[in-house]
Amino acid sequence: MTILEPSGVRARELDTAYVPPPASVRGHGVVTLYTAITAIVLALLMLFGLAMRASQAGVITIPPNRFYELLTAHGIGMVAISGLGGAAVMWYFLSRYVSLSRGILLANLAFFLAGVVLVLGAIFVGGFAAGWTFLFPLPARSLGVWGPGATSSYLVGVLLVGVGFLLLYLDTGRAIIRSYGSLGKALGWPQAFGKSESEPPPPTVVASTVVTIINIPAIAIGAVILTISLINTLAPDFRVNALLAKNLTYFFGHVFINSTIYMSVIGVYEVLPTFTGRPWKSSRPFLLAWTATMLMVVAVYPHHLFMDYANPRWASVLGQILSYTSGLPVLAVTAVATMANVYRSGMKWSVTSSLLFASIVGWSVGVIPAIVDGTIAINRVMHNTLWVPGHFHMYLLLGVVAMQFGFMYFLTSVKGVVDAAIDRAAVWAYVVAGMAFAIVFLASGAMSVPRRWAVHLAPWMGLDRLGAAFALLTVAAALVFVVSFLRRVRTIGG
Ligand code: HEM
Ligand SMILES: [Cu+2]
């Protein structure tokens, strides 16, 4: 059987002049492998999440040390796997425009898997449970719950994952510069600033360039703090300023997780037009928005340090102002263009197009509670409540992960085969239950229920049970996506 590029092309081929660029086939087997690993790991980590939520609800009992292990694995795992799934989307489409190295793509996967083995061993064998943010000095101060061996294994594991991604971004940077002459040209600066009338680079190249530029320093800074923590673990006399450590950690964490959105949204730019028959061009606002977001996203991270009164006041003010503006330009041009692309296009609502469309809605809606939390006066009350997981589950679960599930259906769409009823039902279940699951987190946060607590008090458990029920439905829908994707990969042989 042949993989038909975008299933929607059939529906639109009569009345559209738009033909998607040919896909380069080299490396697509590796992309499918990335995506299959992403699917399986997402399912597993969602089950961890369900277990945590059920335990908070008192439906099952997970001992606290196990809970914090699960929390650590779920957090670091979800961040890393969104990165891997996003990298698959970015690589797949970017390779249409520039010449990427398949060897580097494989090397990243090898580093990733080696890192995952060390991290899982650290957590489930060594008992490491300091949270995915490995915030200094907790990794080295476990009060005997885990040993320095477990901490070292965790830190080295995360470091290996970082090295892999660093190689990948060095390669995308190299390839982009080779094809477009410079990063500035790949960002479309000549067109954005009216210096050139020529065709600007396609959205995929613009987004990939931004991710390359912001993630290389993010990973490098992450490596610095991981290494410092590693030395501190092995030689406790070697210390670092805790405030500096937190700044470094959250610079890395904030930029990396945001990049997962910026990589995954490339799937929307490339796939949605094949359903609507309207190409997605880099308009001037689009180019300016991506540059604006690129500059702001690296400076907004102090919104994670509002409670750290020792941090400079100007940093908090910057954090609040940029929280309002940082992600907004890209989100706004993407959301508006999505609506314009879909509106009256006669688009076929397949599982792929529905998930991609829903992802833009989920991302847009999720930004609202995020901005609320980015306000100092509110953060003072909401910090460390379930409001925080509420907002990020909304745009990660319904934004990033919905984009990636949409990409999985796109990748394996087969000519003449229509979506099964169960997949269609799963889209509804995923969107509705996922949204409800996140809203219950927000509601609990509004009641000041703390986040990251293994054991909840009885008055919180009503909402917890509701949250666990919606989590169950969300995970069930996700399992449908995953099983269905893996079956299609098997039948079409990747
Ligand atoms: C249905 C699926 C999911 C369920 C049931 C779930 C459940 C949970 C629960 C119960 C927590 C702990 C909340 C607390 O008490 O602080 C949590 C934290 C978290 N989740 Fe999820 N989650 C799901 C999907 C996701 C996805 C898709 C992502 C990212 C792509 C994600 C990323 C995270 C992160 C980063 C944390 C914070 C960990 C920490 O506080 O250290 N989750 N999740
Ligand atoms: Cu942030």
Side-chain angles (χ1 to χ4, degrees):
M1 269 193 269
T2 51
I3 303 179
L4 178 74
E5 256 284 292
S7 56
V9 164
R10 258 172 297 126
R12 302 289 311 168
E13 62 199 352
L14 293 179
D15 56 345
T16 174
Y18 175 61
V19 181
S24 109
V25 177
R26 267 186 70 250
H28 280 189
V30 188
V31 169
T32 308
L33 185 59
Y34 265 59
T35 316
I37 291 172
T38 304
I40 294 167
V41 173
L42 276 175
L44 182 73
L45 294 176
M46 283 185 177
L47 288 170
F48 286 5
L50 175 62
M52 285 190 287
R53 204 71 185 106
S55 180
Q56 288 174 334
V59 180
I60 58 171
T61 306
I62 301 176
N65 56 342
R66 275 279 163 210
F67 179 93
Y68 293 112
E69 288 172 23
L70 287 175
L71 185 67
T72 305
H74 178 85
I76 191 72
M78 281 297 192
V79 172
I81 205 64
S82 316
L84 196 79
V89 177
M90 172 169 148
W91 204 96
Y92 182 91
F93 293 113
L94 184 60
S95 67
R96 289 177 172 178
Y97 309 102
V98 305
S99 173
L100 296 170
S101 157
R102 182 172 171 276
I104 295 283
L105 188 67
L106 271 171
N108 179 36
L109 188 61
F111 275 106
F112 187 90
L113 294 176
V116 166
V117 169
L118 288 182
V119 167
L120 287 179
I123 295 173
F124 293 112
V125 181
F128 182 80
W132 80 271
T133 45
F134 54 88
L135 211 52
F136 174 87
L138 190 55
R141 299 238 188 122
S142 72
L143 298 180
V145 180
W146 61 86
T151 303
S152 308
S153 176
Y154 178 87
L155 297 172
V156 172
V158 177
L159 207 51
L160 285 182
V161 173
V163 170
F165 275 105
L166 197 55
L167 289 176
L168 188 76
Y169 293 124
L170 290 173
D171 184 54
T172 56
R174 173 203 59 77
I176 288 170
I177 292 174
R178 192 151 181 207
S179 295
Y180 288 86
S182 73
L183 294 174
K185 285 186 187 154
L187 291 169
W189 282 353
Q191 292 83 357
F193 299 113
K195 299 261 188 298
S196 165
E197 295 294 312
S198 61
E199 182 82 5
T204 298
V205 171
V206 177
S208 304
T209 307
V210 168
V211 172
T212 301
I213 293 173
I214 63 179
N215 242 354
I216 289 177
I219 295 169
I221 295 287
V224 168
I225 184 59
L226 282 162
T227 309
I228 291 176
S229 296
L230 188 61
I231 302 174
N232 172 253
T233 303
L234 302 174
D237 283 343
F238 177 88
R239 287 197 198 89
V240 58
N241 178 304
L243 188 61
L244 174 68
K246 191 166 180 184
N247 271 278
L248 298 179
T249 302
Y250 277 98
F251 173 76
F252 152 72
H254 177 89
V255 174
F256 191 87
I257 194 68
N258 274 270
S259 293
T260 68
I261 310 183
Y262 303 149
M263 290 190 285
S264 306
V265 77
I266 291 171
V268 178
Y269 295 158
E270 291 279 356
V271 177
L272 217 47
T274 66
F275 282 90
T276 61
R278 298 170 178 169
W280 194 308
K281 288 261 166 63
S282 298
S283 62
R284 243 182 115 188
F286 181 91
L287 298 170
L288 290 170
W290 271 95
T291 292
T293 288
M294 174 182 83
L295 296 175
M296 289 189 281
V297 75
V298 291
V300 60
Y301 80 86
H303 64 197
H304 295 276
L305 287 92
F306 286 155
M307 302 297 270
D308 298 85
Y309 301 117
N311 215 38
R313 197 185 171 83
W314 60 262
S316 296
V317 172
L318 191 74
Q320 168 166 330
I321 296 172
L322 291 184
S323 292
Y324 294 168
T325 54
S326 153
L328 233 47
V330 160
L331 176 60
V333 291
T334 301
V336 170
T338 298
M339 299 306 157
N341 207 277
V342 169
Y343 183 66
R344 291 200 163 173
S345 66
M347 179 176 96
K348 189 171 134 252
W349 289 93
S350 71
V351 169
T352 307
S353 61
S354 307
L355 279 171
L356 292 177
F357 184 81
S359 75
I360 297 301
V361 178
W363 180 20
S364 310
V365 176
V367 161
I368 299 166
I371 286 182
V372 170
D373 191 51
T375 306
I376 296 172
I378 296 175
N379 190 277
R380 213 173 264 175
V381 185
M382 298 303 217
H383 193 85
N384 282 336
T385 70
L386 284 178
W387 184 273
V388 177
H391 83 66
F392 68 68
H393 278 92
M394 209 177 261
Y395 58 70
L396 293 176
L397 198 58
L398 295 169
V400 179
V401 174
M403 289 169 195
Q404 297 186 0
F405 282 140
F407 178 68
M408 289 177 202
Y409 277 89
F410 158 80
L411 202 59
T412 49
S413 51
V414 172
K415 191 169 191 155
V417 176
V418 287
D419 298 317
I422 183 163
D423 299 71
R424 290 176 171 280
V427 175
W428 280 105
Y430 186 79
V431 172
V432 173
M435 188 58 84
F437 165 70
I439 289 174
V440 173
F441 265 153
L442 290 176
S444 308
M447 277 173 49
S448 290
V449 177
R451 74 179 281 206
R452 291 176 166 165
W453 279 29
V455 181
H456 278 195
L457 300 180
W460 308 339
M461 286 188 178
L463 277 177
D464 290 342
R465 284 200 197 104
L466 200 60
F470 286 127
L472 182 65
L473 202 57
T474 314
V475 177
L479 286 174
V480 170
F481 298 152
V482 169
V483 170
S484 169
F485 170 67
L486 294 176
R487 277 177 48 190
R488 287 195 314 278
V489 167
R490 252 189 38 203
T491 40
I492 58 182

